[in-house]
Amino acid sequence: MSVTGRPETKVSAAVVLTDASPATSLPRRRRSLAGLWFVVPFLAVFLFVLVVPVLYSLYLSVFQDKLIGGRSFVGLANYSQLFSDPKFWDGLGRVALFLAVQVPVMLGLALVAALAIDSGRLHGAPFFRMSVFLPYAVPGVVAVLMWGFMYGDQFGLAGNINKLVGHELLTPLSPQWILVAIGNIVTWEFVGYNMLIFYSALRSVPSDLYEAAAIDGAGAWRVVFSIKLPALRQAIVIATIFSIIGSFQLFNEPNILRTLIPSVIATYFTPNMYAYNLSFAGQQYAYAATLAIVMGVVTAVIAYVVQLRGSREANR
Amino acid sequence: MSLHPRRRLRGAAVLAAGVVVGLALAACSSSGGSSGGSTSAGGAAGGSAALDAALSKGGELTYWTWTPSAKAQVAAFEQAYPNVKVNLVDTGGAGDNNTKLQNAIKAGSGAPDVVQVEYQSLLQFVLPKDLVDLTKYGFGDLKSKYSASTWGAVTGANGIWGLPQDSGPMALFYNKTVFDKYGLTVPKTWDDYIAEAKKLHAADPTKFFVNDTGDAGMTTSLIWQAGGRPFKSDGEKVSINLQDPGSKKFADMWNQLNEGGLLGNIPGWSDQWFKALGDGTIATLVTGGWMPGVFEASVPAGKGQWRVAPMPTFGSDTATAENGGSTEVVVKQSKNPELAAAFLRWLNSDPASVKVFLASGGFPATTADLESADFQGKTDDYFGGQQVNKVIVDSSKNVGTGWQYLPWQSYANSIFSDTVGKAFLNKSDINEGLKAWQDQNVTYGKAQGFTVTAG
């Protein structure tokens, strides 16, 4: 179900974005069907990869599959079961905590990197731009495997350092540190991506603003706070929304690290992992569909709130 | 991918006695040729004749497996029956295999004709009626070819659902180099085993006598050996008691290693694990008889260092247990079930096929091979010239009877790390973990429509 859960949440956020943009009020014209043909390809894809899977998930979520007895209609029983399922809340709480800590850290770092590269005071800016972005080009699975080797406290880098120091200094794969360890991987992977969003927004600031600021005698910090950051507001909102979606969909990193530490990372470590294991290990497709829908709604609501807040501040 | 995951044959749903009775084969089989492979003489002739007809008529089949010898077996089959084309798909390992199979069955198309399934996962495909009952093709006549425990594992629920491919009677593997260096003796009982583990830990805390981070297959096999029968299922009725005397006996014994910090925290089948087996970090391993093949393929550094001994016993009780083993089955979706059944019959009963299987280090389920002097007498350089098969065949004669797995064992194993795994992580009482595992399984079983009683 995680498969249908992904595009669903992503696109729903995109829908939110377009909804909130100011409505274009064109004068009423004679209706022409010619325009329709231009949107048909989009509509067809939209229908088959978004609307149909969502409807199918909704349909599934009111049934129950049993090894004995097969499929039966259960109404909203799956939903009430989900809301009282401690494993679901455990996973949701974990990704919420992850979101609250990791996203600000990552976006902060990305912002600093973008401002530094844009400042013109950095020697070899293209090199930095490239090398900060490079981790994003590493396939996610490879990145996690690589970090997994470094984190290993038996044979990995962490283990070597511990041996050198003589005691258990670094234990990134222990229950206390695992979420931080995953946050570190995700940050490493996505700082460059977010930096690029910010950087491209900075590049689109008209240069006469800077000239005017220089004439007014503004220093570098003044320029950052009065020109660059306001210009970045919309980009920050978008990056935040992407990161919220990414956090709620956390799956790859913990799921791959799980092979190293199966008892530290539970099968319900994140909601997506829970949905995956419910459907593919437990054959509870209907319940997994319910979870995917609830997570889609939760993600869309939070993304919408962020969007609303972001644009309200922008309008002030 | 190397061999590791695909050899991850955990647990065997063995329902009947493990005593291998050296029954004579019902018929000598001609290998290959146009005579239709090996068919036991007499009985259900109609069914088996239909399979012979299907073979000469020919057609196309899809076969999913993760058996290392599959490619060579398929080649031998196609040579013997040139009219049949077999599309071999390597599914990589039991986990992926089950997931793909479940999805294809759920989707209603795309499933293979013949597929490998672990004994412990068989019931979850039998109960929803996803498989073809092979009784009608005269497979009942093949019973005498297989060890009682493996035959029991593929039958039940009023049908014959496959033919056994291999089996996993358990034995103790130990690193002789490490034993010699630290003056350890090969343990006969689990009490000895714990004593030796303490001795090694005292001598060198960076070495582990044994590793276990919480492994469902290992735990259930040891409960099996201790005489526990925590799972009982009869159609829709299931009872679970992970605190029966045998389960407690296991947990109390293993607690001494777990709470004493004597278990290495290296997860099985990880890269670290293979490395640790090769460099002497892990000194012993108690597992199924298919392990020698894995050693040779994936732990080259351990060559000449490892030896095999009988599995440690609980006191004077000589019972052993099984770990792992698979069968091939015919999926109901198959468009040509007769041809599929004929291929399956050849695959796991024809001497020509079993020979290829044995050559790659497999441990057979066929009594003729288990009993053969060639097989038992084979010396193995990897194990310092030891007659490995003999030790494992001896173990197969003492496998405890009456063991059953849950009808949803693969799901149960998937949540093992959430429950019992925590006890391993925290070095706390395994009994508590077993109780938590039981509770979650009772909940799951009820949600799946079973009548579940918790003991």
Side-chain angles (χ1 to χ4, degrees):
Chain A
M1 240 39 253
S2 62
V3 182
T4 51
R6 275 168 174 267
E8 169 202 331
T9 43
K10 267 196 187 121
V11 182
S12 53
V15 171
V16 170
L17 287 176
T18 44
D19 278 355
S21 63
T24 45
S25 51
L26 291 167
R28 257 182 88 89
R29 285 194 199 135
R30 264 191 61 217
R31 286 183 174 226
S32 159
L33 289 178
L36 190 63
W37 291 107
F38 289 100
V39 293
V40 159
F42 165 75
L43 277 181
V45 173
F46 182 72
L47 205 67
F48 282 105
V49 304
L50 182 78
V51 178
V52 171
V54 169
L55 290 180
Y56 184 61
S57 297
L58 278 171
Y59 164 82
L60 272 184
S61 71
V62 292
F63 287 88
Q64 211 161 56
D65 283 309
K66 294 181 173 184
L67 275 169
I68 304 291
R71 182 170 288 186
S72 58
F73 179 77
V74 293
L76 296 177
N78 283 332
Y79 290 90
S80 59
Q81 189 191 338
L82 185 73
F83 290 127
S84 58
D85 185 343
K87 292 182 176 180
F88 167 67
W89 291 111
D90 184 69
L92 187 62
R94 188 169 292 109
V95 290
L97 174 67
F98 184 85
L99 171 76
V101 178
Q102 187 266 340
V103 171
V105 169
M106 174 180 67
L107 294 184
L109 286 174
L111 192 62
V112 169
L115 288 171
I117 291 169
D118 186 62
S119 71
R121 300 181 179 211
L122 198 65
H123 290 289
F127 168 76
F128 283 106
R129 198 175 62 213
M130 206 51 228
S131 51
V132 173
F133 183 72
L134 206 59
Y136 183 70
V138 177
V141 175
V142 177
V144 182
L145 286 175
M146 195 183 77
W147 279 101
F149 285 128
M150 288 201 271
Y151 285 162
D153 43 20
Q154 295 283 338
F155 298 101
L157 182 66
N160 292 342
I161 292 175
N162 289 344
K163 223 168 268 173
L164 202 71
V165 193
H167 71 111
E168 299 274 291
L169 181 70
L170 296 174
T171 52
L173 297 181
S174 63
Q176 296 84 352
W177 289 104
I178 187 63
L179 204 57
V180 177
I182 292 172
N184 180 46
I185 301 177
V186 176
T187 305
W188 178 83
E189 282 178 305
F190 290 101
V191 156
Y193 172 78
N194 289 299
M195 176 274 291
L196 214 61
I197 294 180
F198 296 155
Y199 180 70
S200 53
L202 285 174
R203 298 308 289 173
S204 65
V205 176
S207 58
D208 44 356
L209 277 180
Y210 294 128
E211 281 164 26
I215 291 166
D216 290 346
W221 288 111
R222 187 78 212 166
V223 169
V224 166
F225 285 106
S226 299
I227 299 178
K228 294 191 175 183
L229 284 183
L232 276 175
R233 175 161 284 139
Q234 215 46 39
I236 292 174
V237 170
I238 287 172
T240 308
I241 288 171
F242 285 167
S243 302
I244 289 169
I245 295 167
S247 298
F248 277 125
Q249 295 189 347
L250 195 63
F251 177 79
N252 251 352
E253 291 80 8
N255 201 48
I256 293 167
L257 286 177
R258 197 178 130 69
T259 54
L260 299 176
I261 35 167
S263 40
V264 175
I265 296 179
T267 53
Y268 49 90
F269 192 76
T270 73
N272 259 16
M273 279 180 71
Y274 190 32
Y276 176 85
N277 286 306
L278 281 174
S279 53
F280 295 127
Q283 302 194 68
Q284 292 168 303
Y285 301 98
Y287 192 49
T290 312
L291 198 160
I293 286 167
V294 170
M295 281 312 292
V297 170
V298 168
T299 312
V301 165
I302 293 184
Y304 185 67
V305 168
V306 169
Q307 164 71 22
L308 218 56
R309 234 186 103 77
S311 48
R312 191 180 299 149
E313 306 241 320
N315 291 339
R316 259 209 311 237
Chain B
M1 286 303 283
S2 53
L3 282 170
H4 353 144
R6 59 181 68 178
R7 285 311 246 144
R8 193 173 185 168
L9 314 170
R10 295 290 171 72
V14 171
L15 308 167
V19 183
V20 175
V21 187
L23 291 173
L25 291 180
C28 291
S29 38
S30 59
S31 59
S34 57
S35 64
S38 66
T39 322
S40 48
S48 76
L51 300 195
D52 295 340
L55 279 174
S56 48
K57 189 168 165 247
E60 211 170 314
L61 289 175
T62 304
Y63 169 37
W64 286 5
T65 182
W66 65 95
T67 311
S69 57
K71 211 174 157 190
Q73 282 175 301
V74 166
F77 176 78
E78 287 183 332
Q79 206 179 0
Y81 302 98
N83 291 339
V84 188
K85 185 175 176 339
V86 179
N87 302 312
L88 177 66
V89 178
D90 184 347
T91 47
D96 286 354
N97 186 82
N98 281 355
T99 305
K100 281 182 191 167
L101 186 59
Q102 275 175 20
N103 287 343
I105 287 171
K106 201 85 201 162
S109 70
D113 300 281
V114 178
V115 58
Q116 178 177 357
V117 172
E118 292 171 296
Y119 296 135
Q120 61 168 342
S121 308
L122 188 59
L123 262 182
Q124 79 189 50
F125 295 106
V126 168
L127 288 174
K129 301 187 174 61
D130 297 331
L131 307 179
V132 175
D133 181 0
L134 302 165
T135 315
K136 58 174 176 272
Y137 300 126
F139 275 46
D141 297 345
L142 301 171
K143 179 180 177 184
S144 58
K145 285 192 158 209
Y146 300 96
S147 69
S149 64
T150 56
W151 185 258
V154 299
T155 53
N158 296 320
I160 302 171
W161 309 102
L163 288 181
Q165 171 185 275
D166 61 359
S167 58
M170 294 175 82
L172 168 70
F173 298 83
Y174 65 96
N175 189 321
K176 189 166 182 295
T177 316
V178 176
F179 269 54
D180 289 348
K181 186 176 171 195
Y182 296 97
L184 307 175
T185 47
V186 180
K188 295 251 182 313
T189 66
W190 286 113
D191 287 339
D192 298 345
Y193 191 82
I194 293 164
E196 297 299 315
K198 286 180 180 158
K199 215 157 113 188
L200 178 64
H201 187 73
D204 185 352
T206 65
K207 298 267 185 287
F208 296 111
F209 197 66
V210 57
N211 76 293
D212 190 2
T213 56
D215 177 317
M218 176 79 178
T219 295
T220 47
S221 287
L222 291 185
I223 288 175
W224 180 349
Q225 189 204 12
R229 297 294 178 266
F231 312 128
K232 296 228 161 57
S233 76
D234 177 19
E236 299 176 16
K237 285 202 205 86
V238 176
S239 77
I240 306 175
N241 182 5
L242 280 158
Q243 283 293 290
D244 72 351
S247 305
K248 271 192 181 149
K249 195 168 159 189
F250 153 74
D252 292 342
M253 185 275 285
W254 212 245
N255 268 341
Q256 297 176 51
L257 296 169
N258 185 38
E259 295 176 342
L262 299 170
L263 296 174
N265 66 338
I266 302 170
W269 307 94
S270 63
D271 295 323
Q272 294 188 10
W273 185 69
F274 284 106
K275 189 168 180 283
L277 288 178
D279 69 9
T281 304
I282 297 174
T284 73
L285 180 63
V286 179
T287 193
W290 36 261
M291 191 63 201
V294 180
F295 263 120
E296 288 174 38
S298 305
V299 195
K303 188 171 179 182
Q305 302 189 36
W306 287 84
R307 297 290 182 277
V308 186
M311 184 181 191
T313 57
F314 283 93
S316 56
D317 181 1
T318 57
T320 62
E322 295 224 18
N323 183 288
S326 297
T327 173
E328 270 73 21
V329 298
V330 176
V331 182
K332 251 204 184 133
Q333 266 180 33
S334 173
K335 299 244 176 354
N336 195 347
E338 291 184 351
L339 186 63
F343 171 65
L344 165 59
R345 187 183 62 180
W346 180 89
L347 192 68
N348 286 351
S349 76
D350 195 295
S353 173
V354 176
K355 199 176 148 205
V356 176
F357 175 74
L358 292 181
S360 75
F363 193 83
T366 38
T367 48
D369 297 290
L370 287 168
E371 296 287 299
S372 96
D374 275 359
F375 179 72
Q376 291 197 17
K378 197 182 134 207
T379 57
D380 197 329
D381 286 346
Y382 188 96
F383 294 91
Q386 209 184 350
Q387 293 180 340
V388 173
N389 292 338
K390 194 171 183 322
V391 178
I392 298 164
V393 170
D394 284 344
S395 166
S396 74
K397 293 173 183 165
N398 292 317
V399 173
T401 59
W403 174 267
Q404 285 184 308
Y405 280 106
L406 285 169
W408 57 86
Q409 192 66 39
S410 66
Y411 175 74
N413 290 355
S414 79
I415 56 170
F416 184 87
S417 57
D418 296 351
T419 50
V420 193
K422 297 277 180 253
F424 283 89
L425 184 68
N426 302 327
K427 302 192 198 307
S428 58
D429 187 4
I430 293 170
N431 284 303
E432 295 305 313
L434 288 174
K435 283 181 206 159
W437 195 33
Q438 167 166 333
D439 290 345
Q440 295 203 8
N441 273 305
V442 169
T443 310
Y444 180 82
K446 284 181 179 159
Q448 291 295 328
F450 291 92
T451 311
V452 188
T453 44

